[in-house]
Amino acid sequence: MERKAQTDCIFCKIISGEIPSRTVYEDDAYKAIMDVSPASRGHVIILPKTHVANIYEIPDDVAAGIMVVAKKIALAVKEAFGCDGVNILQNNEVAAGQTVFHFHVHVIPRYADDTVNIKWEQLDDVDIDAACREIKKITHYY
């Protein structure tokens, strides 16, 4: 995989070794590191070695590959920590909680008694059928 780094990107600097990290997995295309501000014990971040800002820019093969790595990491944290579940989380843009603009995936081990807050409330006034029609117009599925 061709790697294009951005000089002002903290994750590119971690990938290049300019900034140290606690690496738990690495191959030619991805690097998985311990999150320095973990939501729970065992929280890992997976980085593609190619710099892309978000889901809108990521090539399909890179997106597919990162999920293979996420599965490996999820299995490893489950075995290592005996967690009760795992969140696979990816944020895009500030409104969604993205703070580093290099695509990355969080693997967050979950425990029955943890206080991690990744929740949403159900909206009662959403016209699901209308929303479905709007998305279909753009995706060209029908």
Side-chain angles (χ1 to χ4, degrees), residues 58-108:
I58 195 166
D60 291 349
D61 61 326
V62 177
I66 207 164
M67 290 308 293
V68 173
V69 176
K71 178 182 175 185
K72 289 178 186 182
I73 299 301
L75 288 166
V77 298
K78 179 130 178 96
E79 185 174 335
F81 302 111
C83 57
D84 299 308
V86 175
N87 284 115
I88 306 295
L89 178 66
Q90 199 280 313
N91 303 317
N92 297 282
E93 300 185 276
V94 174
Q98 186 178 14
T99 58
V100 178
F101 295 90
H102 180 122
F103 183 92
H104 57 286
V105 172
H106 296 264
V107 178
I108 305 170

Side-chain angles (χ1 to χ4, degrees), residues 9-27 29-49 66 69-70 72-74 77 81 100 102-109:
C9 174
I10 190 169
F11 285 166
C12 286
K13 289 177 180 181
I14 289 170
I15 291 163
S16 72
E18 185 178 339
I19 295 175
S21 64
R22 293 173 184 94
T23 302
V24 297
Y25 174 87
E26 186 167 10
D27 61 25
Y30 307 96
K31 185 170 190 160
I33 62 173
M34 297 304 298
D35 192 313
V36 296
S37 298
S40 71
R41 183 169 185 249
H43 183 167
V44 173
I45 300 173
I46 306 166
L47 312 169
K49 291 186 175 179
I66 207 164
V69 176
K72 289 178 186 182
I73 299 301
V77 298
F81 302 111
V100 178
H102 180 122
F103 183 92
H104 57 286
V105 172
H106 296 264
V107 178
I108 305 170

